[in-house]
Amino acid sequence: MAHQLHYYWHHDTKTKRIARMKRTVLSICALVASTSAAYAANITPYYLTDGDSSLTYEITNGVLTNTFTTDQLGYPLAVRDSIWLGNRDDGGATEFSLAGVSTGNTSAGGSNFKQLLDGAAGNSANYGVECCGGTNSVTIANVDWSNQRVLFDLGFNGTGVAYDFVSNSLFISEFGNTIYNYDLTGQLIQSFNIGMRLVGLAYETATDTVWGFNRSTNNLVQLDKNGAILQDVDIANFAPNNPFGGEMRVSSVPTVPEPAPLALLGLGLLGLGLARKRRG
C-alpha cells in the first residue's frame, strides 16, 4: 500500500511539473507571436520625398499617415529628432519637425553635386548618393547637409543609400536590380540582385533591416542584410509621382527581435526538465 501511494505521489508530481513546463513554453511562444506581430510592416515611420512635386510622405505600419509640403527639388533626407531635407543639386537644406512643420532653420549648400536623389543619417554625418552624371559619387556632409564633399565614387547611377549602424557601412541601390554594400572607404563588401528596382533606401534600427520603395508597384520592401526579401508591403491608395528620397528615423541602439532563439530556449528547458525526470 505504501509503495502504491509513493508511486501515485511520484507520478502526480511528475505530471504537474511537465504541465508547468508546457505552460512555460506556451507563454514563450505567445511572446514570440506577439513580438512577430509587432514587427509587421514598418514599425518605424518611413519618410519618402518627391522633390519634383515638393511633397514628403510619412508611412507607418504600411499606412500613409501624413503628407506635407517641402522644398522644390528636396530629395536627400536625414531624419533624427527632426528632418533635414537637402536640395537635389546641393543647393542648401531646410529643417522640418517630424510632423512636417518647417522650423525656419536652413543651411547653405555648395552646388558641387547634381542629382542627389537620396540621403541617409549616420552617427555624426549625412550620406548622399548621386545619379545620372559622368561621375557619380557617394557624398558625406554635416548633419544639416552643409559642407558636402565626395566620400568615394561609384561606377553606376545611384538611386538609394542607407547607413547601417551595426556594420558601419552603406547599402546603395542602382537603377537596375542590384544593391551594393560598401564600407566607408568605398570597398565593396557584397552585392545582390533582388529582382526589382528599389529607390530611397532606409535602414531600420529597430529590426536591423533595410527598406526600399519599389516604384513599379508603389510598395515598401523589407530586406535582410544579405538581400533576402522579408516583406513586400502594399500601401493602400498610394501612388506618388516621382519619389526617390527615403529615410527612417534613427535610434541610438538597434534592438533586434530574436524570436527563434527564444522558442528554442523554451523547448530546450522543457527537454531538460523531462530528461531530469526520466533520470529520477
Side-chain angles (χ1 to χ4, degrees):
M1 183 66 177
H3 180 269
Q4 284 182 318
L5 289 174
H6 175 75
Y7 170 78
Y8 288 128
W9 176 86
H10 179 76
H11 181 73
D12 184 59
T13 301
K14 180 178 179 181
T15 300
K16 289 180 180 178
R17 288 178 179 174
I18 293 173
R20 283 198 298 270
M21 293 297 292
K22 287 181 178 179
R23 286 195 297 271
T24 300
V25 172
L26 288 174
S27 298
I28 292 174
C29 290
L31 174 62
V32 170
S34 64
T35 301
S36 300
Y39 282 88
N42 61 304
I43 62 171
T44 307
Y46 181 101
Y47 294 90
L48 188 69
T49 58
D50 180 352
D52 284 85
S53 301
S54 301
L55 292 173
T56 295
Y57 306 93
E58 180 184 347
I59 301 165
T60 306
N61 287 323
V63 176
L64 178 63
T65 55
N66 193 16
T67 302
F68 50 93
T69 302
T70 46
D71 298 340
Q72 178 70 16
L73 299 183
Y75 275 105
L77 285 161
V79 185
R80 296 179 176 88
D81 292 334
S82 65
I83 299 169
W84 274 99
L85 179 62
N87 177 266
R88 184 195 68 181
D89 300 327
D90 189 24
T94 303
E95 185 185 36
F96 296 85
S97 72
L98 296 176
V101 178
S102 176
T103 66
N105 295 326
T106 62
S107 66
S111 300
N112 295 316
F113 302 95
K114 296 290 185 182
Q115 301 285 343
L116 292 161
L117 295 185
D118 191 24
N123 281 306
S124 57
N126 295 344
Y127 301 96
V129 66
E130 265 189 312
C131 157
C132 314
T135 300
N136 298 305
S137 300
V138 174
T139 67
I140 185 170
N142 297 338
V143 296
D144 62 357
W145 290 110
S146 62
N147 190 29
Q148 193 157 196
R149 55 212 183 270
V150 173
L151 184 63
F152 57 86
D153 288 332
L154 294 172
F156 55 86
N157 294 317
T159 62
V161 59
Y163 175 76
D164 178 355
F165 283 78
V166 173
S167 65
N168 190 34
S169 67
L170 297 170
F171 285 86
I172 298 173
S173 59
E174 56 155 359
F175 270 104
N177 297 332
T178 302
I179 292 180
Y180 303 84
N181 183 204
Y182 292 93
D183 68 21
L184 297 186
T185 70
Q187 294 297 310
L188 183 65
I189 299 171
Q190 62 174 334
S191 63
F192 35 81
N193 187 314
I194 61 171
M196 63 180 70
R197 298 179 181 182
L198 298 184
V199 301
L201 297 189
Y203 174 77
E204 187 174 34
T205 56
T207 58
D208 190 30
T209 60
V210 176
W211 290 79
F213 183 74
N214 186 337
R215 294 189 68 214
S216 298
T217 62
N218 294 321
N219 286 7
L220 287 188
V221 179
Q222 183 187 29
L223 309 169
D224 73 14
K225 294 194 293 187
N226 293 310
I229 297 174
L230 304 177
Q231 294 191 77
D232 194 330
V233 182
D234 178 56
I235 312 301
N237 304 313
F238 184 60
N241 292 323
N242 201 34
F244 273 99
E247 183 74 342
M248 292 180 169
R249 183 184 181 186
V250 302
S251 58
S252 57
V253 180
T255 54
V256 185
E258 297 180 308
L262 282 174
L264 290 174
L265 174 62
L267 293 174
L269 289 172
L270 176 59
L272 179 62
L274 291 175
R276 285 177 174 173
K277 295 311 162 191
R278 290 191 190 100
R279 285 197 294 269

